[in-house]
Amino acid sequence: GAVVSQHPSRVICKSGTSVKIECRSLDFQATTMFWYRQFPKQSLMLMATSNEGSKATYEQGVEKDKFLINHASLTLSTLTVTSAHPEDSSFYICSASVAGGPKTQYFGPGTRLLVL
Amino acid sequence: KQEVTQIPAALSVPEGENLVLNCSFTDSAIYNLQWFRQDPGKGLTSLLLIQSSQREQTSGRLNASLDKSSGRSTLYIAASQPGDSATYLCAVRPGGNQFYFGTGTSLTVIP
């Protein structure tokens, strides 16, 4: 089956630093990847949609200059949280859609970010 | 905007009991509906996907139904086991690639 990985699985950083999270489709090509954020006791909220080779589309209320998304290849998308603050602490999950296939999304295991 | 609600927010049952989780959505124009399982601090595991033209899907002890016109879906778990303890999320897709997730039902199955 299609597998999506995320790295790192957990990261702790100081306030003001930037953190990069990688999302990889391991055994398929993904033209579209999605980034979600999940705060404790809340559901997943879509942050942005990332298409290979083009600019990401951000959901309303998500700062594109703070959450930089790069989808440089059909198997890799990165989310960079710039100048992270404690309120950015959350669980970040990516998903990927198979290129040319049915519109099933495969979810990664998530990255826990804690900003001190 | 599509809103997805799940009831109850939390549920605790003794092992062996059958149970039903509920999901409702405000806009019936959906492409499909999917039920996921999420273990603490983990990602999502897809359980069942129901296309808009379907009324139910079954996998093992799980059965999901969809009543699109009324904006409702249920996930039925038969003969619950402690390993079923997790948070269950339902998500609807209106079309395209975007999911709208519910807030989840946290299930605890007591041995």
Side-chain angles (χ1 to χ4, degrees):
Chain A
V3 178
V4 176
S5 70
Q6 282 185 239
H7 178 79
S9 59
R10 183 185 296 265
V11 57
I12 301 173
C13 68
K14 293 182 179 180
S15 184
T17 60
S18 294
V19 175
K20 180 185 285 188
I21 302 170
E22 294 185 348
C23 175
R24 292 182 184 273
S25 56
L26 298 185
D27 50 2
F28 66 98
Q29 293 186 326
T31 50
T32 307
M33 289 184 171
F34 307 87
W35 288 96
Y36 295 84
R37 179 169 53 186
Q38 185 180 35
F39 291 109
K41 304 293 186 183
Q42 296 185 28
S43 191
L44 282 77
M45 296 297 293
L46 180 67
M47 298 175 65
T49 302
S50 166
N51 291 295
E52 186 265 338
S54 63
K55 290 184 179 180
T57 303
Y58 290 82
E59 295 299 303
Q60 191 173 11
V62 178
E63 300 175 57
K64 62 180 182 181
D65 293 330
K66 180 167 184 64
F67 298 99
L68 301 179
I69 292 173
N70 183 279
H71 193 161
S73 77
L74 285 172
T75 59
L76 173 65
S77 176
T78 60
L79 168 69
T80 301
V81 183
T82 62
S83 186
H85 291 285
E87 57 265 31
D88 298 323
S89 298
S90 187
F91 193 55
Y92 293 85
I93 299 180
C94 74
S95 70
S97 249
V98 179
K103 295 180 180 178
T104 302
Q105 286 188 30
Y106 299 93
F107 286 82
T111 296
R112 174 74 62 190
L113 170 64
L114 177 60
V115 185
L116 302 175
Chain B
K1 180 185 175 183
Q2 179 74 266
E3 291 185 7
V4 183
T5 304
Q6 289 186 246
I7 296 174
L11 181 63
S12 183
V13 301
E15 182 177 2
E17 193 163 294
N18 302 326
L19 58 102
V20 176
L21 308 180
N22 297 291
C23 172
S24 61
F25 46 96
T26 55
D27 189 343
S28 62
I30 64 171
Y31 177 73
N32 62 35
L33 181 145
Q34 200 160 352
W35 283 92
F36 294 89
R37 169 186 173 135
Q38 185 178 29
D39 292 284
K42 304 291 185 181
L44 305 181
T45 300
S46 178
L47 298 174
L48 290 165
L49 183 150
I50 310 177
Q51 300 294 347
S52 62
S53 59
Q54 298 175 323
R55 295 204 49 97
E56 66 177 337
Q57 283 286 330
T58 298
S59 176
R61 294 182 293 110
L62 306 179
N63 175 277
S65 69
L66 173 64
D67 184 342
K68 200 174 69 165
S69 61
S70 68
R72 296 179 188 274
S73 175
T74 62
L75 178 66
Y76 175 83
I77 302 177
S80 58
Q81 302 172 358
D84 295 331
S85 298
T87 295
Y88 291 81
L89 298 169
C90 86
V92 298
R93 280 174 73 178
N97 287 307
Q98 183 165 350
F99 277 100
Y100 288 94
F101 282 87
T103 50
T105 294
S106 177
L107 173 65
T108 302
V109 180
I110 304 166

